[in-house]
């Protein structure tokens, strides 16, 4: 078995607020089941050289003493925040390896850099707070549209799921693109690890042409195609219960509805078809379960 130090870490963005705690607990559970180390990261910004200017005429507003004090306070608060986060992880008694990082910089840029060598980046989501703004604003769009690694978004209202719970399925959106194939493999691994069933969802828009056949005939062909695509997953995960579902609903609507009962929703990004862009963004805002967005391989 690989040791923690040989595994790519799970990186968790830490900030104040309940959204960060919910995401941290979920990440710790994943780290325990994958034998991965955790890296807890907090990035802070401050304004050491604020200037008020117009054209080339500037009025320096910086106070060296105030700047130094402010920076030290930011850094101290960050260290205390990460110490509290580490204590939460240690409460589980799982013996996880935990590293903490305080970085002075833009949160999005910092997390993007830290995630480049990670197996998973985990972020909390809420309508309030720094990470809430990150995940529900322009930064979340950038992360979800071009993630540096698989990105898990855990919203504040996400219900806690015990490791031993097996009655909640893992749901993967699939449209045949490379990213959705990678998402399917990720979802299968997660489902097998947690003893859950895997539900593969494919959404399509029926073609209104005589040569295409009836809607039921089109759905039948899609179902057969979907079954062919999951055969390798079933071969790689013997014993995994896989269900294929074809729906005429919009992809985002179908997956949000599944999220009510799901342990996890997994989608890919980077392609040109259904489960990209707006779908992942809709899930970030409306999913009732954690969402993992997979980058195109």
């Amino acid at each position: 078995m690989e040791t923690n130090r040989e595994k790519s870490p799970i990186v968790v963005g830490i900030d104040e607020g309940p959204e960060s705690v919910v995401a941290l607990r979920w990440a710790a559970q994943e780290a325990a089941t994958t034998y991965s180390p955790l890296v807890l990261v907090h990035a802070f910004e401050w304004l050491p050289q604020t200037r008020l200017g117009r054209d080339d005429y500037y009025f320096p507003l910086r106070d060296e003493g105030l700047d130094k004090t402010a920076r030290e306070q930011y850094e101290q608060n960050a260290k205390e925040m990460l110490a509290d986060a580490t204590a939460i992880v240690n409460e589980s008694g799982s013996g996880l390896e935990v590293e903490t990082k305080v970085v002075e910089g833009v949160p999005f840029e910092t997390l993007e850099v830290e995630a480049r060598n990670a197996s998973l980046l985990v972020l909390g989501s809420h309508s309030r707070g720094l990470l809430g703004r990150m995940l529900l604003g322009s930064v979340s769009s950038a992360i979800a549209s071009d993630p540096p690694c698989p990105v898990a978004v855990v919203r504040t209202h996400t219900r806690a799921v015990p490791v031993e719970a097996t009655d909640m399925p893992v749901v993967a959106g699939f449209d045949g693109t490379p990213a959705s194939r990678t998402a399917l493999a990720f979802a299968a691994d997660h489902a097998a690890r947690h003893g859950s069933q895997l539900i593969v969802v494919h959404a399509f828009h029926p073609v209104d042409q005589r040569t295409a056949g009836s809607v039921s005939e089109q759905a039948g062909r899609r179902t057969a195609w979907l079954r062919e695509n999951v055969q390798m997953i079933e071969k790689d995960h013997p014993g995994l219960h896989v269900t294929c579902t074809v729906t005429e609903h919009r992809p985002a609507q179908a997956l949000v509805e599944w999220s009510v009962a799901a342990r996890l929703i997994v989608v890919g990004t980077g392609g040109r078809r259904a489960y990209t862009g707006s779908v992942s963004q809709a899930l970030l805002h409306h999913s009732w379960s954690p969402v993992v967005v997979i980058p195109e391989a």
Side-chain angles (χ1 to χ4, degrees):
M1 179 186 300
E2 292 179 299
T3 65
N4 280 10
R5 292 191 181 277
E6 294 171 332
K7 296 279 290 186
S8 295
I10 292 176
V11 174
V12 189
I14 299 295
D15 201 358
E16 58 187 353
E19 63 277 4
S20 190
V21 174
V22 173
L24 175 63
R25 293 188 187 281
W26 187 90
Q29 187 179 88
E30 286 307 294
T33 60
T34 58
Y35 306 100
S36 301
L38 279 176
V39 177
L40 312 184
V41 180
H42 176 78
F44 68 91
E45 294 181 271
W46 64 306
L47 303 176
Q49 296 189 46
T50 301
R51 289 176 180 268
L52 176 65
R54 181 177 180 182
D55 298 328
D56 293 328
Y57 192 64
Y58 292 87
F59 294 91
L61 300 178
R62 177 173 178 173
D63 183 310
E64 294 290 345
L66 178 61
D67 287 343
K68 181 179 180 181
T69 301
R71 187 195 181 287
E72 290 175 348
Q73 187 61 57
Y74 271 113
E75 188 171 15
Q76 181 59 34
N77 290 342
K79 290 179 179 179
E80 293 175 0
M81 193 183 305
L82 291 180
D84 291 341
T86 300
I88 290 175
V89 174
N90 292 338
E91 287 174 1
S92 66
S94 57
L96 290 172
E97 177 185 332
V98 181
E99 179 183 358
T100 61
K101 291 186 178 183
V102 175
V103 181
E104 180 185 336
V106 179
F108 165 69
E109 294 176 353
T110 299
L111 291 171
E112 186 179 47
V113 170
E114 292 295 332
R116 289 174 186 171
N117 296 315
S119 60
L120 184 67
L121 170 63
V122 182
L123 301 170
S125 172
H126 197 283
S127 58
R128 301 190 304 271
L130 179 59
L131 284 183
R133 289 196 298 274
M134 285 173 53
L135 293 168
L136 298 180
S138 60
V139 176
S140 66
S141 299
I143 290 177
S145 63
D146 188 20
C149 71
V151 175
V153 178
V154 186
R155 303 182 72 207
T156 306
H157 64 252
T158 299
R159 57 198 171 284
V161 180
V163 175
E164 63 274 10
T166 60
D167 58 337
M168 300 176 69
V170 175
V171 178
F174 185 82
D175 67 351
T177 57
S180 74
R181 294 182 186 279
T182 305
L184 178 58
F186 183 101
D189 289 342
H190 188 94
R193 194 167 66 249
H194 290 279
S196 301
Q197 67 168 309
L198 172 64
I199 296 177
V200 186
V201 178
H202 173 70
F204 80 106
H205 182 70
V207 178
D208 188 17
Q209 295 179 0
R210 184 175 302 177
T211 56
S214 66
V215 173
S216 61
E217 289 173 333
Q218 293 180 50
R221 289 195 297 271
R222 296 273 182 161
T223 300
W225 167 81
L226 189 58
R227 287 297 315 169
E228 290 177 359
N229 279 278
V230 303
Q231 287 180 357
M232 185 58 68
I233 290 297
E234 292 175 318
K235 181 179 179 180
D236 292 340
H237 299 83
L240 176 63
H241 181 202
V242 182
T243 300
C244 293
T245 299
V246 172
T247 178
E248 299 170 47
H249 289 164
R250 293 179 180 274
Q253 176 187 351
L255 292 172
V256 169
E257 289 178 358
W258 272 109
S259 75
V260 175
R263 168 190 287 274
L264 181 69
I265 300 288
V266 186
V267 294
T269 190
R272 296 178 298 173
R273 301 187 191 177
Y275 299 101
T276 62
S278 61
V279 174
S280 60
Q281 292 302 310
L283 287 167
L284 293 188
H285 287 77
H286 302 295
S287 176
W288 291 93
S289 67
V291 176
V292 172
V293 181
I294 304 293
E296 186 172 15

